[in-house]
Amino acid sequence: RQHASANIKIIMATRNFELEDDVRLKNWISGLNNDVKQIELKLFESDQIKPYVSQFEDYDQLSNEQKNILKIPLWLSIYINLANDLGCAPKFTTKLDLIKFFIDDRFKQLTDSHGISTADSENFFNEIVNLMNQANKLSVLSTQLSNGSSEIKNAMISVGLLTEQNREISFRHQAIYDYAIGKKLYWL
């Protein structure tokens, strides 16, 4: 009852298709009436991206498709992370190239910096994907993971593949999970 007059604000980010297609989310927001303020985030403009990309390659030489990909904050972030780690621009033409390159680079870091074999990394990675898929969730409880996996889990957190909050493990970007599921479906 004391909290009924509390000035609490919730900031939530969602993609357009979730806002439009998720019935529960749409109904919840509709039920809030006028207490919702919607802010649409725009894509980056070329002049905002160019200073970051130009540290690694000539921005003007990128294709229109590459420039459009880098206008999206997630993909620009992945590009910059890779470029900083590699010391040069990652070669890509699609988002799929970027996320595959990101995952491969992180597996290499797991081997080089943490001494974890690629096979062990892939097995643990696939275990997480399978658990998420079975539960139809984008996270899993750390207690669901196989015994002895905490070293790999902590290493994957340190290289930026996973995050952990309140014993819930998830991928740093949903694009990592999406890529893994797409790869599994492709090989069926």
Side-chain angles (χ1 to χ4, degrees):
R1 316 295 171 225
Q2 289 176 310
H3 302 292
S5 63
N7 187 12
I8 297 173
K9 295 183 186 332
I10 298 173
I11 298 173
M12 183 177 77
T14 183
R15 295 171 290 191
N16 289 343
F17 74 86
E18 291 164 330
L19 189 58
E20 294 162 5
D21 296 336
D22 187 313
V23 175
R24 290 182 299 168
L25 180 61
K26 191 184 251 183
N27 288 339
W28 178 64
I29 290 172
S30 299
L32 297 174
N33 300 321
N34 295 329
D35 292 336
V36 175
K37 291 188 175 117
Q38 205 169 333
I39 300 170
E40 185 177 341
L41 300 178
K42 304 286 185 196
L43 298 176
F44 287 134
E45 296 295 328
S46 293
D47 62 328
Q48 295 173 295
I49 302 166
K50 195 171 185 174
Y52 296 100
V53 174
S54 294
Q55 296 174 45
F56 303 101
E57 65 183 311
D58 184 355
Y59 178 79
D60 295 326
Q61 295 300 310
L62 295 176
S63 71
N64 286 335
E65 182 179 1
Q66 289 171 308
K67 289 176 183 176
N68 286 334
I69 289 168
L70 295 178
K71 287 180 178 182
I72 300 168
L74 168 66
W75 300 111
L76 180 61
S77 165
I78 288 173
Y79 173 93
I80 291 170
N81 277 317
L82 284 168
N84 282 325
D85 289 347
L86 299 169
C88 64
K91 302 299 175 212
F92 76 101
T93 54
T94 66
K95 295 173 191 174
L96 190 63
D97 294 336
L98 271 179
I99 199 65
K100 181 184 182 321
F101 201 173
F102 179 81
I103 293 168
D104 290 347
D105 179 66
R106 293 319 187 244
F107 279 12
K108 184 178 181 322
Q109 286 184 28
L110 288 167
T111 300
D112 295 349
S113 301
H114 298 275
I116 298 170
S117 73
T118 301
D120 287 344
S121 295
E122 287 176 350
N123 287 338
F124 184 71
F125 182 89
N126 290 327
E127 177 185 352
I128 292 173
V129 170
N130 290 335
L131 288 168
M132 288 177 173
N133 199 32
Q134 289 167 3
N136 202 23
K137 288 180 61 179
L138 294 173
S139 64
V140 294
L141 287 171
S142 58
T143 56
Q144 292 177 272
L145 302 174
S146 58
N147 290 333
S149 62
S150 65
E151 178 189 351
I152 296 176
K153 177 196 76 170
N154 291 335
M156 284 191 172
I157 290 169
S158 78
V159 300
L161 273 175
L162 299 176
T163 62
E164 181 175 24
Q165 186 174 16
N166 299 327
R167 297 184 315 157
E168 291 263 338
I169 307 295
S170 59
F171 288 110
R172 178 175 169 206
H173 303 294
Q174 185 179 336
I176 297 169
Y177 174 77
D178 294 344
Y179 172 82
I181 290 297
K183 187 175 171 182
K184 281 181 168 296
L185 290 173
Y186 178 79
W187 290 110
L188 282 180

